[in-house]
């Protein structure tokens, strides 16, 4: 299926509508937090938390409201506590350590426990030994996948050396498949880079003979780790199943790439088999797609275990989010998502799309006749700078 050129005007992005939208978000925040917090109103407070995260909205009033929310959180639902932990992690990563330490000690919820632990790990306000001790004490059956990942993160003080990157770019990996590489930094505050390998093993090039490439952000607004819902895009393999357009105003009208991770679909869909030769999900069937040198690299299994955790709907899309929310951030003017691969787009005050990395990706795939394949998300290293073509150019030759 060939995807036609996307709609290049979107009413949501006009300057007038951006102003209206920003005003509405501020109203949601102020009106929701003005209500007395109770089991009846916690849904309204969660709407305010979401708007605060999207716009990185902070004020003395919102901080005081969160302080109050932490006081009454034990009386409210688990979903509310997860939402409160998320907004605190996103906006106030060092302000509620005592409250979150108390919750870590008291909670019987695995999902709440891992979120508390990750918050406290941010500022090293608790030792790994203490977290492990509480985990063993409070959860007698601790085979929950999230606990396994958390324990590994707690013990991961020494970085593992990555296998040779060139092996991930070999013609022998996923032969006959289109592969879209999203090359990222460990620090997702910096933009990554997209390259596309054709089914014949060669890479897509521009008309000038240089490698086709675009920037792309794999950062969630929360900056949560990969295994938590609304966290950063997990590393590893995804199946790309085709194109679609979204009704979500923040994604906009540009065609997106539908991606699925392990456990989100059947093994038959992910591995592209028409018989029942692979009928159940196993780590062994997943790792068989990887080069031998990468089969012990923990990062390459993030998408697999994120799938076990129930993460889903991670796609590659454009953006209509107002970049001005993120002025001063190292990823500006790119806009974060809720865990998707977000390709930069710029819209002028009249609502016209003037730049679209997402459309460039779609066009490049159209030009080679590809409508499905695989996506590989990989962190190159821990450098604190955006990924450049110069440093990855040699990998694709």
């Amino acid at each position: 299926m060939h995807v036609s050129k996307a709609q290049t005007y979107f009413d949501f992005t006009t300057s007038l509508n951006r102003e209206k939208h920003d005003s509405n978000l501020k109203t949601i925040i102020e009106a929701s937090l003005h209500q007395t917090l109770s089991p009846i109103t916690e849904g309204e407070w969660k709407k305010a938390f979401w708007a605060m995260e999207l716009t990185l909205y902070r004020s003395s009033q919102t901080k005081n409201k969160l302080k109050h929310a932490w006081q009454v959180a034990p009386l409210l639902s688990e979903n509310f506590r997860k939402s409160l932990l998320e907004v605190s992690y996103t906006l106030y990563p060092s302000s509620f350590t005592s409250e979150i330490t108390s919750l870590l000690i008291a909670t019987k919820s695995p999902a709440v426990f891992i979120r508390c632990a990750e918050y406290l790990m941010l500022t090293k306000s608790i030792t790994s030994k203490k977290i492990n001790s509480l985990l063993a004490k409070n959860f007698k059956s601790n085979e929950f996948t999230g606990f396994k990942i958390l324990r590994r993160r707690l013990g991961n003080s020494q970085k593992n050396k990555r296998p040779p990157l060139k092996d991930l770019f070999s013609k022998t990996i996923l032969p006959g498949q289109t592969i879209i590489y999203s090359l990222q930094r460990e620090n997702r505050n910096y933009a990554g880079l997209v390259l596309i390998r054709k089914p014949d093993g060669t890479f897509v090039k521009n008309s000038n003979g240089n490698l086709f490439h675009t920037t792309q952000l794999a950062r969630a607004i929360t900056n949560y780790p990969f295994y938590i819902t609304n966290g950063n895009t997990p590393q590893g393999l995804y199946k790309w199943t085709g194109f679609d357009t979204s009704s979500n105003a923040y994604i906009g009208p540009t065609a997106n790439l539908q991606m699925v991770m392990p456990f989100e679909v059947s093994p038959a869909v992910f591995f592209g088999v028409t018989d029942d030769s692979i009928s159940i999900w196993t780590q062994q069937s997943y790792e068989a797609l990887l080069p031998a040198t990468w089969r012990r690299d923990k990062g390459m299994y993030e998408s697999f275990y994120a799938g076990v955790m129930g993460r889903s709907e991670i796609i590659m899309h454009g953006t209509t989010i107002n970049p001005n929310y993120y002025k001063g951030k190292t990823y500006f003017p790119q806009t974060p998502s809720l865990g998707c691969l977000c390709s930069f787009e710029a819209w002028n005050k009249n609502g016209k799309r003037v730049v679209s990395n997402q459309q460039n990706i779609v066009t490049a795939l159209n030009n080679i006749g590809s409508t499905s394949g695989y996506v590989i998300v990989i962190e190159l290293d821990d450098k604190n700078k955006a990924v450049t073509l110069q440093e990855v150019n040699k990998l694709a030759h």
Side-chain angles (χ1 to χ4, degrees):
M1 173 185 134
H2 183 89
V3 178
S4 60
K5 191 170 183 181
Q7 177 183 331
T8 57
Y9 169 82
F10 198 51
D11 194 53
F12 180 73
T13 63
T14 65
S15 56
L16 178 61
N17 285 331
R18 285 206 192 280
E19 289 171 12
K20 287 181 180 177
H21 182 65
D22 290 351
S23 178
N24 287 340
L25 289 176
K26 188 174 182 182
T27 298
I28 288 171
I29 294 168
E30 293 177 349
S32 298
L33 299 184
H34 185 70
Q35 298 184 54
T36 302
L37 180 54
S38 71
I40 295 173
T41 61
E42 66 174 46
E44 296 303 309
W45 277 60
K46 285 169 63 178
K47 290 179 185 176
F49 295 166
W50 168 82
M52 289 164 61
E53 290 176 24
L54 172 68
T55 59
L56 298 183
Y57 185 95
R58 297 179 185 86
S59 70
S60 57
Q61 180 192 27
T62 57
K63 189 174 183 180
N64 286 333
K65 290 293 184 179
L66 289 190
K67 285 181 182 177
H68 172 67
W70 275 111
Q71 292 170 0
V72 300
L75 306 175
L76 301 171
S77 70
E78 177 182 335
N79 278 337
F80 180 81
R81 288 192 283 275
K82 283 161 54 176
S83 184
L84 180 57
L85 280 160
E86 181 176 299
V87 72
S88 300
Y89 188 100
T90 304
L91 296 175
Y92 299 101
S94 60
S95 299
F96 302 109
T97 54
S98 61
E99 293 90 343
I100 293 175
T101 300
S102 296
L103 181 57
L104 179 80
I105 294 169
T107 187
K108 300 301 181 187
S109 162
V112 170
F113 186 93
I114 62 174
R115 286 164 173 79
C116 289
E118 289 290 351
Y119 183 98
L120 298 170
M121 288 160 62
L122 270 182
T123 52
K124 298 180 173 58
S125 51
I126 193 170
T127 64
S128 297
K129 184 177 179 181
K130 177 67 172 176
I131 294 174
N132 276 318
S133 174
L134 286 168
L135 182 54
K137 176 184 175 183
N138 294 345
F139 299 91
K140 301 303 181 187
S141 175
N142 57 15
E143 290 307 300
F144 173 54
T145 298
F147 289 157
K148 295 179 182 178
I149 297 169
L150 175 61
R151 283 195 295 266
R152 193 177 74 215
R153 286 169 58 78
L154 288 168
N156 195 24
S157 56
Q158 191 170 7
K159 292 185 183 298
N160 294 320
K161 186 177 180 181
R162 302 225 81 159
L165 281 164
K166 63 180 177 60
D167 293 354
L168 273 185
F169 288 77
S170 167
K171 289 185 178 183
T172 61
I173 178 176
L174 297 167
Q177 298 284 343
T178 298
I179 303 178
I180 304 166
Y181 293 87
S182 186
L183 309 171
Q184 301 293 329
R185 298 292 190 208
E186 183 179 318
N187 184 347
R188 299 295 180 85
N189 287 319
Y190 296 88
L193 206 70
V194 170
L195 302 178
I196 299 174
R197 196 202 74 178
K198 295 183 283 188
D200 66 3
T202 63
F203 279 75
V204 175
K205 294 185 177 181
N206 294 320
S207 56
N208 59 10
N210 293 327
L211 279 177
F212 168 86
H213 63 285
T214 68
T215 60
Q216 188 173 74
L217 202 63
R219 187 197 194 278
I221 188 64
T222 63
N223 208 21
Y224 260 156
F226 75 94
Y227 70 115
I228 297 179
T229 300
N230 296 341
N232 292 336
T233 314
Q235 296 182 85
L237 297 177
Y238 298 77
K239 178 71 173 179
W240 164 43
T241 60
F243 300 100
D244 201 357
T245 53
S246 176
S247 59
N248 185 318
Y250 295 113
I251 291 176
T254 309
N256 61 64
L257 274 64
Q258 292 290 297
M259 294 157 45
V260 291
M261 61 175 62
F263 296 91
E264 187 176 2
V265 292
S266 69
V269 171
F270 193 89
F271 297 107
V273 298
T274 55
D275 54 27
D276 60 357
S277 57
I278 309 177
S279 58
I280 60 171
W281 275 107
T282 65
Q283 183 173 314
Q284 289 72 26
S285 58
Y286 175 88
E287 73 178 23
L289 298 181
L290 301 173
T293 51
W294 280 81
R295 290 177 185 171
R296 297 185 67 182
D297 182 82
K298 292 181 174 64
M300 285 302 294
Y301 293 88
E302 288 184 1
S303 62
F304 183 87
Y305 284 103
V308 174
M309 290 287 291
R311 290 202 68 179
S312 62
E313 298 180 11
I314 292 176
I315 64 173
M316 187 181 298
H317 62 71
T319 176
T320 64
I321 295 173
N322 190 343
N324 290 331
Y325 301 151
Y326 314 114
K327 273 187 174 176
K329 299 296 181 183
T330 52
Y331 50 80
F332 175 84
Q334 314 264 346
T335 62
S337 65
L338 288 176
C340 291
L341 293 170
C342 190
S343 304
F344 174 71
E345 294 190 306
W347 303 79
N348 69 17
K349 64 180 181 179
N350 298 315
K352 184 178 179 182
R353 195 188 70 193
V354 291
V355 177
S356 176
N357 288 353
Q358 179 65 19
Q359 183 61 47
N360 291 342
I361 293 169
V362 171
T363 299
L365 292 166
N366 274 335
N367 288 344
I368 62 172
S370 287
T371 58
S372 65
Y374 286 89
V375 175
I376 298 179
V377 180
I378 188 70
E379 292 171 354
L380 299 177
D381 51 45
D382 60 357
K383 293 176 184 174
N384 289 324
K385 66 175 188 175
V387 179
T388 64
L389 179 62
Q390 288 70 26
E391 63 189 299
V392 301
N393 196 47
K394 62 181 180 296
L395 295 171
H397 286 87

